[in-house]
Amino acid sequence: MLTLGCARNEVDSEELAGRLSGSGWELVDLDAEGAGTPDVIVVNTCGFVEQAKKDSIDTLLAASDVATESGAKVVAVGCLAERYGAELAESLPEADAVLGFDAYPDLAERLGDVLGGHAPAPHVPVDRRTLLPISPAQRPAAAVDVAVPGHAWVPDLSRVRLSDKPYAPLKLASGCDRRCAFCAIPSFRGSFVSRPPHDVLSEAAWLTGQGVREVVLVSENSTSYGKDLPGGTRALVDLLPALAAVPGLDRVRVSYLQPAEVRPDLLKVIATTPGVAAYFDLSFQHSSPAVLRRMRRFGSTAQFLDLCDRIRALAPEAGIRSNVIVGFPGETDDDVAELEEFLTSARLDAVGVFGYSDEDGTEAAGYDGKVAAEEVAARVSRIAALVDELMTQRAEDRMGTEVTVLVEQAEDDDFECTGRAEHQAPEVDGECVLERGSGLEAGDLVRCVVTGTEGADLQVSPREVLPRRAAALAGAGAS
């Protein structure tokens, strides 16, 4: 099982691995000594942007090379397969099957067909927003008959961990009802569907039994959680403290927040609840009102700065990160200057900078006022350089402060001991490097003092290893 793309795809792969294991399939670790030869290589693809598509194609081709030597079959699943289906199958004959999300419940049977030489017909894409009612309140009943990856929770059957990290993504919801002009995700992930709170809580408890100390709640839009449930959008406000109370779980992190939907009660519960990371992954995308309106989004420099101020009033050391898109059709030099002004004033902990490119089926692909590719690249370089400087300054602001670090990599001859503080999400926000000779193990939660910085990374000195459960309470006022 090879996984491309985001943490949501990681959850989907672990669900698929659970389904397959429960149906008699065995997962093979090709990197392990004495590993067996696979019968099937399943590639969970990403279809978000052009580079992600290319990475998925390259992985499928590499898998085909392995399969040529071993006789294995190559099966494409995931977002690229769902989005392009038969078109992908035609252009990539190296894949023995291209299966969409609707094949997930019966994947074991489908793989058996492939092995038997009877590959199923390639998936034919549809706009998955048409599969569920427009009204969110009517979706829970209808969703029973629609494949929603990552939502089939049955303890010890529907998920197999593919990582031994002390953190794990946990799916909160799937799909999106927003209509951002640059984004194709709703068309192939479908309308927004929340998972029932008891499923989220049960899976979190199961994950702690697998050694997980931090769960990262993932979705396309976490601030919409509950809009299709009886409790409404307050559901996340109620769910977070319940998750923080799960025995053995020391940190709960929420990702993918829409700034326009962050209500005061949600802001407060994230910023002040012991065991919930004071961490805000805010999808700003830009700060110029003119660009945001063309993107079919909301907000402005002033509104976004006010949101950052309100967060820091509640939790001064809170982590705030975002992504921005430059070169959107119609973006002017003044718009870029306004974005620079916002980033300089906001002092975010981490920012991803992306250059706009047309995506199939999106509204923005038909816009006029396209910015030349070379100018898009120049703006990316300009904003990225500013962001690097600002992230370095923000890290330096933490010198001498206490942070609670979840150790992910123990020290050995080749690697330093590394982990993440509360303001750092996995893989995207920098890390903490602990002093050599600390003797710490992966999974330890450690109270540390920041002694140095390197870019967005922190160099920290351990002070105390915190016990499970008590750790969340001890770390709440520290970082």
Side-chain angles (χ1 to χ4, degrees):
M1 178 78 69
L2 305 177
T3 306
L4 284 297
C6 64
R8 300 185 293 273
N9 252 18
E10 293 176 24
V11 176
D12 294 350
S13 284
E14 293 192 351
E15 182 188 275
L16 292 178
R19 289 180 181 275
L20 292 171
S21 296
S23 299
W25 289 78
E26 179 185 355
L27 195 66
V28 177
D29 183 355
L30 293 179
D31 294 327
E33 185 176 350
T37 301
D39 296 300
V40 180
I41 301 173
V42 178
V43 181
N44 189 357
T45 60
C46 177
F48 180 36
V49 293
E50 199 60 39
Q51 185 58 51
K53 298 175 195 174
K54 182 179 184 302
D55 291 344
S56 293
I57 296 294
D58 289 346
T59 302
L60 284 164
L61 292 173
S64 177
D65 290 341
V66 173
T68 299
E69 299 177 4
S70 65
K73 302 293 186 181
V74 176
V75 175
V77 298
C79 292
L80 191 71
E82 174 64 37
R83 187 175 179 185
Y84 293 102
E87 179 183 346
L88 176 64
E90 182 178 355
S91 61
L92 196 73
E94 291 84 354
D96 295 284
V98 175
L99 304 177
F101 298 149
D102 291 333
Y104 284 15
D106 304 312
L107 187 62
E109 182 179 347
R110 300 293 181 92
L111 296 190
D113 291 341
V114 173
L115 279 181
H118 306 289
H123 163 67
V124 177
V126 298
D127 187 334
R128 294 191 73 83
R129 291 172 293 192
T130 64
L131 302 182
L132 291 172
I134 294 176
S135 169
Q138 297 176 0
R139 290 175 191 165
V144 173
D145 299 320
V146 176
V148 184
H151 285 224
W153 171 243
V154 179
D156 300 320
L157 177 62
S158 61
R159 185 168 181 177
V160 169
R161 291 213 68 205
L162 301 178
S163 165
D164 60 359
K165 296 292 187 183
Y167 66 86
L170 174 57
K171 190 163 282 193
L172 189 64
S174 290
C176 186
D177 289 340
R178 300 182 71 91
R179 294 296 181 265
C180 301
F182 54 81
C183 184
I185 289 176
S187 66
F188 57 86
R189 278 289 184 178
S191 298
F192 186 88
V193 181
S194 302
R195 294 185 68 195
H198 61 80
D199 279 9
V200 180
L201 289 165
S202 296
E203 191 166 352
W206 178 83
L207 286 168
T208 64
Q210 307 298 306
V212 170
R213 299 192 73 168
E214 175 182 323
V215 295
V216 183
L217 300 178
V218 298
S219 69
E220 277 75 27
N221 177 9
S222 296
T223 37
S224 282
Y225 180 75
K227 65 186 290 185
D228 51 341
L229 298 177
T233 52
R234 185 178 165 78
L236 186 55
V237 173
D238 296 332
L239 178 63
L240 289 175
L243 278 168
V246 170
L249 188 58
D250 293 298
R251 185 183 287 168
V252 178
R253 185 182 304 276
V254 189
S255 58
Y256 306 107
L257 302 172
Q258 288 290 341
E261 298 179 22
V262 178
R263 303 173 311 282
D265 57 350
L266 179 59
L267 189 155
K268 184 176 180 180
V269 79
I270 294 175
T272 65
T273 303
V276 176
Y279 175 82
F280 293 82
D281 176 15
L282 296 165
S283 178
F284 290 129
Q285 304 300 353
H286 212 284
S287 71
S288 163
V291 174
L292 288 167
R293 299 305 175 268
R294 286 194 291 273
M295 288 179 170
R296 297 208 179 279
R297 296 178 64 83
F298 304 94
S300 67
T301 295
Q303 290 172 337
F304 292 164
L305 289 177
D306 175 70
L307 177 56
C308 293
D309 288 344
R310 286 187 285 126
I311 289 170
R312 289 177 176 138
L314 289 168
E317 299 301 321
I320 307 176
R321 69 118 40 224
S322 191
N323 294 317
V324 297
I325 298 172
V326 295
F328 192 77
E331 183 188 59
T332 66
D333 290 339
D334 287 344
D335 294 326
V336 178
E338 180 160 0
L339 178 60
E340 289 177 318
E341 175 188 345
F342 164 68
L343 293 171
T344 301
S345 299
R347 299 184 69 80
L348 306 178
D349 292 273
V351 183
V353 182
F354 298 90
Y356 171 81
S357 61
D358 287 338
E359 278 298 312
D360 299 338
T362 62
E363 181 181 351
Y367 283 3
D368 56 13
K370 297 290 174 60
V371 180
E374 59 271 18
E375 178 59 23
V376 173
R379 293 180 186 181
V380 169
S381 296
R382 172 179 163 185
I383 298 299
L386 173 64
V387 161
D388 286 344
E389 179 181 350
L390 295 171
M391 288 167 55
T392 297
Q393 293 174 4
R394 179 63 177 152
E396 291 171 349
D397 290 343
R398 296 185 184 275
M399 284 285 293
T401 65
E402 284 192 356
V403 292
T404 303
V405 177
L406 177 62
V407 177
E408 295 175 4
Q409 170 67 56
E411 179 184 332
D412 60 24
D413 293 339
D414 299 317
F415 296 100
E416 295 179 293
C417 182
T418 57
R420 291 177 297 102
E422 188 172 328
H423 70 279
Q424 297 168 319
E427 301 180 8
V428 293
D429 293 342
E431 63 183 5
C432 291
V433 180
L434 292 91
E435 292 177 346
R436 281 198 169 271
S438 60
L440 297 167
E441 299 293 332
D444 285 342
L445 201 63
V446 189
R447 185 173 61 84
C448 301
V449 173
V450 180
T451 58
T453 66
E454 184 174 345
D457 295 339
L458 304 181
Q459 296 158 359
V460 300
S461 176
R463 291 293 187 268
E464 178 188 9
V465 177
L466 300 171
R468 190 180 288 271
R469 289 307 307 144
L473 298 176
S479 63

